[in-house]
Amino acid sequence: MMDYLVVAPTQLKSTVRLPASKSISNRVLLLNALSIVPQIIDNLADCDDTNVMINALQSQQNEIDIQAAGTAMRFLTAYFAGEKGHWTLTGTERMQNRPVKILVEALNALGAQVAYKDKDGFPPLRINGQVLRGGEISLDGSVSSQYISALIMVAPRMVNGLRLNLTGQIISKPYLQLTVKLMREFGVEVFEEGNTLTIPKQTYKPVPFTVESDWSAASYWYEMVALSEIQRCKDSKFKISSLGESDSLINSITAGSVRNLNDVEVTLTGLFDDSLQGDARMAELFDQLGVGTTFVAGGVVLKRKERTLTDALIYDFTDMPDMAQTLAVTCSLLDIPFCFSGLQSLKIKETDRLAALRNELAKLGYLLTEKDGKQLQWNGERTEPVDSPLIRTYDDHRMAMAFAPIALQRNGGIRIEDIGVVSKSYPRFWDDLRDAGFQLESS
């Protein structure tokens, strides 16, 4: 594992070629594989999660290691359940502790033969692939929309199609809507009536497809623009001598400098105002936090603007839970109290993200509270920050990327552990930071 000291530039002006959306890439890869004659997909995401999908779909092996890719585990479980053959799906230790029972039980009710190799309810999975019978089932939509997406994407191949009744509050609904829209682009009909989805037996028709850039990756640049307002000295207790950093890095650190807002402009390529991605909504939240978005040909331009939020930020993240980390860190550093709900899925992600946020923000002096495993809030309560904090990433790419922009608010920068975790979704993240003027050195 490698740790980085991240030190911010004195101005933030950059053009960033964002990675392609892995959410779209992984769905289109599966739909393409289910089609009559698969086509070439342009601009696929170049990240661990998508590479796992590609390798699994092309593999000639019966045992497939999907590593830490939760989306791949769910999608591929449904896919191989309907493919003739015998398969074993396994992954990292964390993956083997991420629940998959709801999906497995749903598939088995539709005629699949999926069993647990070790622990009941968790990977590794043994799959006896065969043509699925299909039919009508009910599923709790409050746990993970990926279960729903996995089922409906393979539904057109089921003998009797699928009628899926969703119960409870459906989380991450934009991701489900994304799946439905992509299925329709690949030529199948999906009928929606309230919380019931009906997909008759039919055939996917392959189409040429180009994947758009990733709005979740864009969120970290929105955060940087928001935090570029002022570089503080009041919270910084960074002891540069204790790290033995190079003279060039030490000389780049200034005390309490204030950035000219005219020196803040970030262009993000490949984003569109009619995006299929639910995370695109976070631009509206950041608008309240002082980040303006202007759509131009081929992307967006971000600039500082007047902050319109005058009180606490209260928001239900049910539809875009992956953005909660970015907004929690941003609000804390900007001294904006918040109350975020709809976060129940964060406890079963790459790590328990609610606990991780509380632990790492406490190192910086912010005391967050959690309620019922669904809510996270900060009422302004502070504590003494840790000297020279090292931010743990918990094998979670989003922890690394959400905390790196803090360098813009700390005179001595911020140290991030295990920087390689960003390869899961945004492998060029650190290179893009360097291109934007950030200095990074191993610590």
Side-chain angles (χ1 to χ4, degrees):
M1 294 194 303
M2 182 181 292
D3 304 339
Y4 265 175
L5 170 65
V6 184
V7 177
T10 55
Q11 67 173 14
L12 184 62
K13 284 195 173 184
S14 189
T15 296
V16 183
R17 185 178 182 273
L18 291 170
S21 165
K22 73 181 182 72
S23 297
I24 295 178
S25 293
N26 289 359
R27 285 163 172 78
V28 171
L29 279 168
L30 195 65
L31 298 178
N32 196 46
L34 291 165
S35 298
I36 305 170
V37 181
Q39 299 288 308
I40 298 296
I41 303 170
D42 290 328
N43 196 39
L44 276 170
D46 180 17
C47 63
D48 291 350
D49 279 16
T50 296
N51 290 334
V52 162
M53 284 287 294
I54 294 171
N55 293 338
L57 292 169
Q58 294 177 348
S59 177
Q60 302 300 312
Q61 305 298 316
N62 295 102
E63 180 164 335
I64 298 171
D65 183 358
I66 56 83
Q67 301 171 37
T71 305
M73 174 60 76
R74 281 112 183 216
F75 289 1
L76 293 173
T77 296
Y79 175 76
F80 284 114
E83 290 289 304
K84 291 184 178 180
H86 300 280
W87 322 92
T88 298
L89 293 186
T90 188
T92 62
E93 181 179 356
R94 171 63 180 172
M95 181 56 60
Q96 294 180 31
N97 285 283
R98 295 181 68 177
V100 72
K101 189 171 186 176
I102 292 176
L103 176 60
V104 169
E105 290 183 345
L107 285 166
N108 287 343
L110 295 167
Q113 293 185 16
V114 183
Y116 307 108
K117 182 179 178 183
D118 298 322
K119 185 168 56 172
D120 185 64
F122 300 87
L125 302 176
R126 293 191 186 279
I127 302 173
N128 180 19
Q130 57 192 359
V131 176
L132 301 182
R133 179 182 65 252
E136 181 172 358
I137 60 170
S138 296
L139 190 73
D140 183 359
S142 67
V143 180
S144 173
S145 66
Q146 291 178 7
Y147 295 158
I148 306 169
S149 289
L151 289 170
I152 66 173
M153 282 192 288
V154 300
R157 280 194 169 187
M158 297 179 185
V159 174
N160 299 313
L162 174 65
R163 182 176 175 84
L164 181 59
N165 303 305
L166 301 175
T167 63
Q169 182 183 22
I170 303 170
I171 66 170
S172 304
K173 189 174 289 187
Y175 285 99
L176 176 56
Q177 294 170 340
L178 169 64
T179 304
V180 171
K181 289 176 182 177
L182 291 173
M183 290 173 66
R184 287 170 174 158
E185 288 197 31
F186 276 75
V188 304
E189 292 184 311
V190 180
F191 299 97
E192 301 176 81
E193 184 179 354
N195 286 344
T196 297
L197 298 173
T198 303
I199 303 102
K201 178 177 174 57
Q202 53 200 300
T203 302
Y204 281 110
K205 300 175 180 61
V207 295
F209 197 94
T210 300
V211 180
E212 67 176 315
S213 293
D214 187 17
W215 272 98
S216 61
S219 73
Y220 310 112
W221 294 94
Y222 273 85
E223 180 184 359
M224 288 179 227
V225 174
L227 296 183
S228 67
E229 183 179 276
I230 296 175
Q231 182 176 359
R232 304 177 185 177
C233 58
K234 67 177 183 179
D235 293 332
S236 180
K237 292 190 173 184
F238 199 93
K239 296 179 180 179
I240 195 73
S241 60
S242 67
L243 295 176
E245 298 298 335
S246 68
D247 290 340
S248 63
L249 188 56
I250 295 172
N251 292 336
S252 73
I253 299 172
T254 59
S257 61
V258 178
R259 289 178 177 78
N260 184 333
L261 298 189
N262 292 327
D263 288 336
V264 180
E265 181 176 311
V266 175
T267 300
L268 305 175
T269 64
L271 299 178
F272 307 101
D273 58 359
D274 59 350
S275 174
L276 297 175
Q277 300 171 65
D279 287 347
R281 296 183 185 178
M282 60 89 191
E284 300 172 7
L285 292 177
F286 273 101
D287 188 80
Q288 299 179 60
L289 302 179
V291 182
T293 302
T294 302
F295 285 92
V296 296
V300 300
V301 176
L302 310 183
K303 292 184 179 181
R304 289 284 315 165
K305 62 181 287 290
E306 183 178 354
R307 191 192 302 173
T308 59
L309 185 69
T310 58
D311 201 353
L313 179 62
I314 300 173
Y315 195 78
D316 183 347
F317 279 86
T318 299
D319 285 344
M320 53 175 190
D322 285 342
M323 294 298 93
Q325 286 157 291
T326 309
L327 270 299
V329 174
T330 303
C331 288
S332 297
L333 271 291
L334 292 178
D335 288 327
I336 297 173
F338 61 84
C339 181
F340 297 161
S341 57
L343 305 180
Q344 56 269 30
S345 66
L346 295 193
K347 299 187 77 66
I348 60 170
K349 295 284 188 175
E350 285 79 353
T351 187
D352 180 342
R353 287 177 172 172
L354 299 182
L357 280 168
R358 292 176 61 196
N359 292 341
E360 302 313 301
L361 283 169
K363 293 178 182 178
L364 302 173
Y366 305 93
L367 295 181
L368 278 59
T369 57
E370 176 186 337
K371 183 179 180 181
D372 300 329
K374 300 178 180 180
Q375 189 177 98
L376 193 67
Q377 66 181 48
W378 182 58
N379 61 8
E381 186 177 0
R382 301 292 292 268
T383 187
E384 190 71 13
V386 173
D387 285 346
S388 304
L390 173 64
I391 301 300
R392 289 187 59 200
T393 55
Y394 305 83
D395 294 321
D396 185 352
H397 54 133
R398 299 202 188 281
M399 285 295 291
M401 293 186 286
F403 277 81
I406 288 175
L408 288 153
Q409 288 269 320
R410 293 179 60 86
N411 299 322
I414 189 71
R415 288 189 299 154
I416 309 288
E417 76 155 15
D418 192 15
I419 59 168
V421 293
V422 301
S423 64
K424 182 176 174 63
S425 63
Y426 191 167
R428 278 194 49 83
F429 180 72
W430 303 115
D431 293 326
D432 287 346
L433 257 62
R434 286 192 182 96
D435 290 344
F438 286 79
Q439 296 190 47
L440 298 94
E441 291 197 12
S442 57
S443 62

